[in-house]
Structure formats: C-alpha cells, structure tokens
Amino acid sequence: MPHFRQNRLCLREYFNMFNEEENRDTFDIQISVSDPEKVGDGMNAYMVYKVLTKTSLSIFSRDEVCVKRRFSDFLGLHSKLASKYMHMGYIVPPAPEKSIVGMTKVKVGKEDLSSVEFVEKRRSALERYLLRTVKHPALLKDPDVLQFLESSELPRAVSTQALSGAGILRMVNKAADAVNKMTIKMNESDAWFEEKQQQFENLDVQLRKLHASVESLVCHRKELSVNTASFAKSAAMLGNSEDHTALSRALSQLAEVEEKIDQLHQDQACADFYLISELLGDYVRLITAVKGVFDQRMKTWAKCQDAQVMLQRKREAEAKLQHANKPDKLQQAKDEIREWEGKVQQGERDFEQISKNIRREVGRFEKDRVKDFRVVIIKYLESLVHTQQQMIKYWEAFLPEAKAIA
Amino acid sequence: MQLLVHSVSVDLNNDASLVIDIPDALCERDKVKFTVHTKTTLSSFQKPEYSVQRQHEDFIWLHDTIVETEEYAGLIIPPAPPKPDFEGPREKMHKLGEGESSMTKEEYAKMKQELEKTVQVHEVFLQRLSSHPMFRKDRNFQIFLEYDQDLTVRRKNAKEMFGGFFKNMVKSADEVLISGVKEVDEFFEQEKNFLLDYSSKIKDATAKAEKMTRSHKNVADDYNHISGALNNTAADNNTAFKKHLEKCAEVFEKLRKVEDRMASDQELKLTELLRYYTRDIQAAKDLLYRRARALADYENSNKALDKARLKGKDVAQAEENQKQCLQKFDKLSESGKKELTSFKARRVVAFRKNLIEMTELEIKHAKNSVSLLQGSIEILKSN
C-alpha cells in the first residue's frame, strides 16, 4: 500500500532527527519500534511490537538487542518512571494515549485502511516515546528502562487502567487540585518559577490552538486528495465523451495528471500529520508533564510547610509539659520534636532539590524544544518543496499535450 | 464604499470592427456596475467609441430579447451570465455602507476574486454577440452598447411583452423531445447523441472541479490560521524560540498567498471554463429542441393538409401553412448545422487556451513556492 510505505519514509526522517550529527558525541543509541504483529484472537487479541536497540553505551549488556513488547508494557514503564521521578521534579515523557475504539477495530480483525493507519500511528508514537525517554540522561540509566529494552521476558504490567496516559494525567491533576485547595499560598521568593509557570500556561493554550489548526490542515488536505481523485475520474469520462480527437486525448491526460497529483496530496497529508501534527500533540502532552512537576514542587513546599507547623505545635506541647511533671510524656514530646525537626530539614532539602532539578529540567526542555521544532520545520518545508517539485514535473509534461490540441 | 476591479480580459475579439471589453466593475452596496467599453468602425453606430454603465439585469434583458426573437431560432444563443454571487461579502458591503464593521484582508481578497469571475463571464457574453455575424447587428444589442442612460425603463417594458414563456418551455421538455425525434439527418443524429452524453459529463466535471477548488481554498485558510497561531505563540517566548516561530509564521503566510492564488487561478481557468461550457452545451441543446419542435410542427402541418384535402375545406390555407413549416424547418437545419460546427471549433479553442494558461500558471506558482520555501529553509538552517 503506497500510503503505508510513505508513512515509513516520513518516520525514518523523523527518527533520523534524533541521531543527527550534533547529537552523536553525547548520545549513541538508536531505537526503533517496528513490525506490529497481532497475537491471539477476538477481544483478547493484542498487538506486539519489535523494539530494536542499537547502542555503544556500556550500560547495555549488548550492542544490539531486540525484544517484543506490547502496549501495556510501555504504559507500565511510564508508570514506574513517573512514580520514581516526577516528585523529584524530572519531566518524565508521557506515554501515548490509549484508544478503545482504535484497538477494538484491530482486535475484531478489520484489515481496512483505518485499522492499518491506527496501528502505524501507534507504532510511531511508541517509538517517539522511547526516543524521548532515553534522551533524558537520568532515565537512560534507570534499571526499569534497561530492563524494558533488554529483557526478553517482562512481567505483565498490572492494572493498566490506572497506568494509562489518562490515568497519569488524573494523578497530575489531583496534585494540581491539592495545590489549589491550599489555604496558605506559596510566597514565591523566586520570580523565575512564577514567570516560567505563567509561560507554560500560555504555551499550553497556544500549542493546543496550533495543533487544532494543523489537524484541520491534515483533514482538508485529505479532502483535497479525495476531491482531486474524483475530478480526475470525471475528467476521464469527459475525455471519453468528447468527440474532437485531440481535445479528447488532452482531457484524458489531464485526468492522469490529476490522479498523480492526488497521490502527492496524500503523501503531503501524511507529512502534515506525522511531522507536524503528531509533534505538536506530543508537546501538548509534554507541557502537561512540565506543569505537573511545577505542581509537585508546590506539593513539596506544602509538605515542608505542614512539617513546620507540626514542629511548632510539638514545641508548644513540650513547653506546656515542662511544668506538668510527667517525665515520660516530656521525653516523648522531646523525641517528637527531634523527629519533626528532621522532617522539616528533609522537607527543606527536598524543596531545594526539586527546585534545582526543575530549573535544570526546564532548561533542557527548552533547548530540546527549540531543536525539535527547528529540525521538524525544516523537514516539513523540505516535504513541501518535494511536493511542489513533483507538481512542476507533472504540469511541465502536460503542457505540450495541451498545446497539441489543434 | 466602492471597489474597483480591472478585468483580466479573456479576449474573444477577432475582428476590429466591433471591439468590446469590460475594463472596470464597481461594487456599490449590493449592486455591481459594469463599465462596458465599445470601439467600433461600423456605420450603424453613431459614435466610434462608447463607455456605459450596465447592471447584471441589463445583460439578462438583452439575452432574453435575443432568445425571444424568432429570427434567431436557428442559432446557438450565447448563455446568459449567472448573477454575481457575493453572499457574505454582500452583507459586509451593506454594513460598510452604513458605517459598521470593516472588511478583513481575506474577505476583501475573496470579493476581488468573485468580481474577477463575474466580469469575465459578462464580458464573454458580449464578445460572443459581437463576434457573431447576425447578433452583432441586433438592434437591442446596439442599444445596450450605445444608450448612455439607465436601461431600467426599457427592461420593465420588455418583461411585459414577452413574459419569458418560451424560455420556460425549452427547459422542461428538451431532453424528451430531442431523444424522441426520428432523425433522418446523419449529422443531427450524431450531434444529438453527443450533446446528450456530453451534457451530463460536463455537468459532473464542473461539480467535481468546484469541490476540488473549494478544498484548495480550505488548505489556504488553514495555512492562514497556522500562521496566526505561530505568531501568537511567538508573542511571549524567549528570543531563540521566538525568532524561529516568527520566521515559520512568515513562511506559512507566504504559502497561504501562493495557495490562494493557485486556487483562484484554477477556478478561473478550469472551473469557470467547465461552468461556461455546461451552459453553452445547454444552449446548443436548446437549438436542437427548437429544430425538433419545427419538425413536429411540419409533421403536424402535413397531417392537417391531408385532413383538409379529405374534407375539401381550407386546402389553400393548409398548403400555405405546410410550406411555411417546411421553410422554417429547413432554415433551422441549415443554420443549425453551421452553428453546431462552429460551436465545436469554439469549444476546442477555448479549452486549449484555458488548459494551456492553467498549466502555465500552475507551473509558475509551484516554482514560486519552491523558491520561497528553499529561501526559508536556508535561513532556518543558518540560525
């Protein structure tokens, strides 16, 4: 299926972007997700993907590993990483969305175009997810990540309902709600955080709008393709009906040109989608993860505050007990003070650490973002150039035919 | 508010003795006023040059008087230009007149495109008349070109006289009557079959072309929205990203302009061409219809003559009637053959011209796209 082939071409382009020359010195790992295979039948069926890792990094046991993974395995990985690192302020790349409708069609065995497209879309998303994950220097070294990439057997991820992208989102939102319910608003001593948070709020809104516009473009480009094909058929019929020989031939050739152009539109729609639309979709989800770590910081601060309040209470309690002549209770109070002093210190350390991590993570995110967009835009514009150059070829071939009408 | 558009003439003038064009069109409120410019060396005209203001309804009046003229029954009547279609823009124009709102750049551009289209089709109508040996001598055509006052009064009088009866008849019965006729003439048999088939095919092609053109315009609109969204995103971002986004917004804005132009050129050259010939094919079919009616009339007159001879009453009258019917039928057949032959030639020339122009424009726009895209890629790569 030509449409399918072109997808792969687009994706190889995208995939290569992560392995550009500039990355080579800091980063030597290539990951591909391929060969989706259906396992089982009916509603219990699932897709299995081949995950191939090629690397020269020493943390890996081999320089080339191939494993088979299913979608829930990816979700499981993400859930583990999120629970380990999010509260430390690391931006953990979000896993692709679950789709009941999409998967049901595949399970039921429909070999139609939309199922094929769905599987390809998912395969691509899974690949991007892994690439983003290993780009993160801390996550790359994580044992769960290594196990995911190398281990031939992986324990089944349990209760993937909670582990879905939407599930993680709910977790993040719960943290946000907790923050909003805080009675003592954080006294932001660091303007950087306030500024950045506002920036990310704005960016979220803007990227969603941009994404919506691009989705509209994809949709209209597909319509254009369908309408062009339809016109081509109609022009061919008109050519057959035309009784002037030369004009009849020219109309038939016009129909052929339009058919070729239809194929160009299809390929372009594919580039529109995989290069731009999916990238924007990924970033909208990433921004949610970024907002999540800011909320985690607020949560950490709240915990710190709570500990301080507790400590104060314990001190007050101890002071009262000083004059009460209950030596056991007094000792307990003193112990509790020490405990809470420890917690306050830990809380302050945690807060400092998460703040430091977030600054670093945001810096990295912003650098990557600029690079990602720059590379993708160039690739996209190149795809447009290719389409236009093909158009020129087709129309230049047709021109003498039009002139030959006598 | 007035909007002036200078037309891009689709020149059908092949004879310098009567040259007509529409150099300007004014869009006032919801009326379009065409400037009809005539240059002539014919003695039947009082002056060598005229410039008059005409509205769409004047063109329709002219077309209708020609259709109703018995003398022209054997000719293909050039199809009437369709009413200028401004929908939304018309509303806006109305509001503009009352001092409300203002037109966006896009609405203005769309209006301009519509004006281009309508000028072209009105101009072609007049040029068809001027280039035809019989129509160019038509008295009403001359009045249309010469009369320096408003034609409104004349139009009203004409409506009362003719009532458009003939036109309505033609529309409803032609297919059945034409296919039902027992054709002895090989030429007309072929033409009939060709026209009936071609008519449905070209109607379909027109509809599909319209859909295709509309999709192109949608894609151009999307480029516009993307450009806007990129600019909004650039507005509050750090320097590196900001400049980048602004450059991207610029590229999409330029792409929009090219895509828009491509879409409207395709519409003007392809869709409008197909629309026009759909109407012209109908006009040719109308001619066949009139001839078929004349044949039916002749056959009826034969029957009437036989009956009269049988009864021995009013024979002379019946003979005269039969002679006239035959004359009319022969005249229509002779004229019809010429008209249909030149129609084919005209159609071929028009298709050739438009297909060549469309192709050249497609190539031009695609080359523009390539150079602007490659320029932008260079800039983005160098940053």
Side-chain angles (χ1 to χ4, degrees):
Chain A
M1 202 181 303
H3 173 77
F4 199 74
R5 261 207 303 280
Q6 187 54 35
N7 284 1
R8 298 308 303 267
L9 194 65
C10 285
L11 259 307
R12 215 162 290 134
E13 304 267 298
Y14 185 87
F15 160 69
N16 282 336
M17 127 190 160
F18 282 99
N19 298 290
E20 299 269 301
E21 281 299 323
E22 40 196 81
N23 286 344
R24 200 110 292 165
D25 44 309
T26 53
F27 205 68
D28 195 2
I29 176 168
Q30 291 177 42
I31 301 183
S32 73
V33 174
S34 61
D35 301 305
E37 230 183 274
K38 188 160 140 195
V39 172
D41 261 316
M43 289 313 284
N44 290 325
Y46 58 92
M47 298 298 285
V48 158
Y49 302 87
K50 199 170 88 176
V51 178
L52 174 66
T53 307
K54 287 197 191 145
T55 177
S56 62
L57 298 171
S58 53
I59 46 172
F60 287 85
S61 57
R62 282 167 287 163
D63 53 5
E64 193 169 314
V65 189
C66 188
V67 295
K68 288 218 167 111
R69 296 286 178 254
R70 55 186 291 188
F71 185 65
S72 54
D73 294 334
F74 289 79
L75 294 183
L77 174 64
H78 174 255
S79 146
K80 288 191 197 140
L81 295 177
S83 59
K84 273 199 260 183
Y85 295 103
M86 230 171 80
H87 69 91
M88 295 199 321
Y90 285 37
I91 301 170
V92 176
E97 294 293 319
K98 257 192 159 197
S99 166
I100 299 177
V101 173
M103 248 343 257
T104 308
K105 272 202 213 156
V106 174
K107 286 185 210 233
V108 162
K110 287 188 90 184
E111 281 298 313
D112 65 350
L113 188 63
S114 69
S115 313
V116 172
E117 274 183 23
F118 171 79
V119 172
E120 174 55 28
K121 186 175 161 181
R122 172 162 284 189
R123 184 209 62 77
S124 166
L126 292 173
E127 193 174 85
R128 295 195 307 272
Y129 165 68
L130 286 181
L131 286 168
R132 285 214 171 81
T133 302
V134 298
K135 261 186 87 175
H136 194 299
L139 299 180
L140 173 59
K141 299 195 208 101
D142 183 279
D144 285 321
V145 171
L146 292 171
Q147 186 189 43
F148 181 92
L149 292 175
E150 290 192 307
S151 209
S152 49
E153 289 289 321
L154 206 66
R156 256 299 294 278
V158 190
S159 110
T160 53
Q161 262 304 70
L163 305 182
S164 67
I168 298 294
L169 200 67
R170 274 194 291 274
M171 197 171 92
V172 168
N173 284 339
K174 255 197 257 173
D177 287 338
V179 166
N180 287 333
K181 290 202 184 94
M182 265 162 48
T183 45
I184 313 163
K185 269 295 165 192
M186 185 168 160
N187 183 15
E188 189 55 81
S189 51
D190 197 337
W192 184 92
F193 282 93
E194 203 170 316
E195 217 180 272
K196 279 298 163 189
Q197 228 171 327
Q198 189 56 53
Q199 272 183 16
F200 281 111
E201 284 294 330
N202 294 345
L203 192 60
D204 187 25
V205 170
Q206 288 148 0
L207 282 187
R208 281 176 198 273
K209 280 209 190 107
L210 186 56
H211 187 215
S213 299
V214 175
E215 284 184 317
S216 176
L217 174 65
V218 174
C219 179
H220 285 140
R221 186 104 58 192
K222 282 190 180 157
E223 259 176 40
L224 176 58
S225 154
V226 166
N227 290 339
T228 305
S230 172
F231 173 73
K233 285 203 187 82
S234 190
M237 301 257 291
L238 188 64
N240 283 342
S241 177
E242 175 60 63
D243 65 351
H244 185 275
T245 330
L247 179 54
S248 169
R249 191 174 54 235
L251 285 171
S252 302
Q253 257 133 6
L254 176 66
E256 273 178 40
V257 171
E258 294 289 359
E259 244 176 63
K260 291 200 191 115
I261 288 179
D262 160 37
Q263 189 58 48
L264 281 182
H265 288 318
Q266 277 182 43
D267 293 346
Q268 187 59 57
C270 177
D272 294 341
F273 182 72
Y274 282 101
L275 288 178
I276 306 275
S277 183
E278 287 286 81
L279 175 76
L280 286 170
D282 286 351
Y283 266 88
V284 166
R285 279 188 294 276
L286 266 169
I287 299 276
T288 305
V290 173
K291 284 176 18 175
V293 297
F294 277 92
D295 289 336
Q296 289 290 329
R297 178 174 172 268
M298 298 276 245
K299 219 170 143 193
T300 307
W301 180 81
K303 211 165 146 197
C304 191
Q305 287 300 103
D306 288 346
Q308 283 185 346
V309 165
M310 228 4 166
L311 177 63
Q312 187 58 26
R313 269 197 217 143
K314 297 298 177 189
R315 283 194 176 137
E316 282 166 6
E318 194 250 9
K320 281 206 190 111
L321 284 170
Q322 287 280 4
H323 309 293
N325 195 20
K326 287 179 189 163
D328 290 338
K329 285 229 154 77
L330 189 60
Q331 186 53 43
Q332 189 186 2
K334 285 196 201 289
D335 289 338
E336 281 177 359
I337 287 177
R338 256 201 299 282
E339 185 195 333
W340 282 96
E341 277 173 346
K343 283 196 177 153
V344 165
Q345 272 178 8
Q346 185 59 48
E348 284 170 351
R349 270 200 298 273
D350 286 344
F351 184 71
E352 247 180 68
Q353 188 61 46
I354 195 177
S355 299
K356 208 170 85 181
N357 287 343
I358 290 179
R359 277 179 183 270
R360 193 189 56 233
E361 286 287 280
V362 166
R364 201 176 57 87
F365 173 83
E366 288 182 336
K367 216 175 90 190
D368 283 347
R369 178 181 71 191
V370 173
K371 216 191 291 177
D372 269 4
F373 273 78
R374 188 169 142 263
V375 170
V376 162
I377 282 289
I378 290 173
K379 290 254 179 274
Y380 180 68
L381 295 182
E382 283 172 349
S383 80
L384 288 175
V385 168
H386 173 77
T387 299
Q388 295 298 320
Q389 282 172 335
Q390 286 298 109
M391 289 245 209
I392 293 172
K393 244 198 255 164
Y394 296 150
W395 287 116
E396 278 180 343
F398 176 72
L399 191 55
E401 305 291 345
K403 287 187 170 162
I405 304 169
Chain B
M1 183 199 148
Q2 293 179 337
L3 177 68
L4 263 126
V5 170
H6 290 262
S7 79
V8 178
S9 249
V10 177
D11 204 6
L12 287 185
N13 296 314
N14 45 21
D15 171 358
S17 61
L18 182 61
V19 176
I20 304 177
D21 70 312
I22 300 181
D24 276 67
L26 249 93
C27 195
E28 216 173 70
R29 295 281 175 140
D30 56 354
K31 285 235 171 277
V32 182
K33 292 209 167 96
F34 300 96
T35 302
V36 178
H37 175 245
T38 310
K39 262 192 161 141
T40 179
T41 58
L42 296 174
S43 51
S44 50
F45 286 82
Q46 291 185 351
K47 288 193 277 181
E49 193 164 351
Y50 295 92
S51 202
V52 296
Q53 297 274 306
R54 293 288 176 249
Q55 294 176 26
H56 169 72
E57 287 71 24
D58 300 329
F59 288 76
I60 299 303
W61 163 80
L62 178 58
H63 172 260
D64 288 353
T65 63
I66 289 174
V67 165
E68 306 285 351
T69 307
E70 187 64 32
E71 216 184 307
Y72 303 141
L75 308 176
I76 296 179
I77 317 286
K83 193 161 181 195
D85 173 31
F86 288 101
E87 303 175 340
R90 175 176 286 144
E91 262 173 51
K92 280 267 175 173
M93 290 303 314
H94 198 64
K95 281 202 182 127
L96 273 168
E98 292 168 1
E100 273 181 54
S101 79
S102 65
M103 241 191 223
T104 63
K105 223 174 31 172
E106 288 78 38
E107 285 165 336
Y108 184 86
K110 279 195 168 94
M111 249 199 102
K112 209 160 167 259
Q113 284 170 14
E114 279 302 312
L115 264 174
E116 257 180 359
K117 264 166 53 185
T118 197
V119 161
Q120 179 171 297
V121 81
H122 283 76
E123 196 179 66
V124 164
F125 172 69
L126 295 177
Q127 287 170 345
R128 280 281 298 275
L129 294 174
S130 68
S131 55
H132 192 286
M134 290 209 62
F135 292 132
R136 71 190 345 224
K137 292 189 255 173
D138 183 83
R139 180 80 196 113
N140 286 316
F141 184 42
Q142 188 164 336
I143 292 169
F144 180 94
L145 296 174
E146 273 187 324
Y147 191 60
D148 59 0
Q149 306 285 331
D150 211 306
L151 283 176
T152 324
V153 176
R154 262 181 196 270
R155 282 196 270 123
K156 289 213 172 86
N157 293 341
K159 253 209 173 101
E160 274 137 36
M161 270 169 71
F162 297 117
F165 172 72
F166 187 68
K167 262 203 330 184
N168 292 332
M169 267 190 73
V170 170
K171 290 308 170 220
S172 55
D174 61 352
E175 301 269 343
V176 174
L177 203 69
I178 296 175
S179 11
V181 154
K182 242 186 317 167
E183 196 52 73
V184 252
D185 190 329
E186 178 67 31
F187 174 83
F188 282 100
E189 177 67 21
Q190 274 185 359
E191 280 302 305
K192 178 184 82 180
N193 292 329
F194 166 70
L195 285 175
L196 287 177
D197 182 45
Y198 199 76
S199 161
S200 67
K201 301 279 157 61
I202 198 168
K203 234 184 249 168
D204 185 63
T206 305
K208 303 284 162 65
E210 280 172 349
K211 273 180 116 172
M212 190 172 69
T213 305
R214 199 164 8 198
S215 285
H216 261 297
K217 293 201 170 141
N218 285 339
V219 169
D221 277 342
D222 287 327
Y223 283 154
N224 191 24
H225 293 142
I226 291 172
S227 177
L230 283 167
N231 271 325
N232 285 340
T233 313
D236 36 33
N237 256 290
N238 60 46
T239 30
F241 204 36
K242 185 193 180 80
K243 264 209 213 116
H244 194 76
L245 289 171
E246 282 172 349
K247 192 72 189 79
C248 294
E250 216 183 283
V251 176
F252 274 97
E253 176 55 28
K254 291 201 183 121
L255 281 175
R256 174 190 78 80
K257 287 206 179 97
V258 177
E259 196 71 33
D260 228 350
R261 199 62 240 181
M262 242 195 223
S264 46
D265 282 344
Q266 190 184 71
E267 179 164 37
L268 272 176
K269 299 296 166 191
L270 183 66
T271 314
E272 280 292 294
L273 171 76
L274 292 170
R275 277 190 194 123
Y276 185 80
Y277 276 93
T278 305
R279 290 193 293 268
D280 221 6
I281 292 278
Q282 185 59 46
K285 274 164 67 181
D286 292 346
L287 169 59
L288 282 189
Y289 170 82
R290 290 192 291 270
R291 182 178 165 273
R293 268 229 80 94
L295 180 58
D297 287 345
Y298 172 62
E299 283 170 354
N300 287 340
S301 76
N302 268 336
K303 292 197 188 113
L305 180 57
D306 288 342
K307 230 165 131 183
R309 283 192 177 136
L310 236 70
K311 283 197 185 146
K313 228 172 83 165
D314 297 321
V315 175
Q317 200 180 36
E319 278 179 345
E320 184 56 34
N321 188 30
Q322 188 239 38
K323 197 167 91 180
Q324 280 188 2
C325 281
L326 181 59
Q327 267 180 4
K328 181 166 176 213
F329 176 69
D330 282 341
K331 182 168 164 234
L332 287 189
S333 296
E334 188 188 321
S335 157
K337 203 176 251 182
K338 265 193 264 180
E339 285 284 296
L340 289 168
T341 309
S342 66
F343 170 61
K344 183 195 304 226
R346 194 175 60 239
R347 185 177 79 246
V348 172
V349 166
F351 267 78
R352 179 176 186 277
K353 179 172 191 281
N354 277 283
L355 286 177
I356 291 173
E357 284 175 0
M358 179 187 79
T359 307
E360 287 173 341
L361 284 166
E362 291 272 357
I363 293 170
K364 175 175 138 201
H365 291 317
K367 285 189 170 158
N368 276 349
S369 286
V370 169
S371 76
L372 94 84
L373 285 166
Q374 281 175 336
S376 302
I377 291 171
E378 278 314 305
I379 294 177
L380 288 170
K381 274 189 172 160
S382 66
N383 273 349

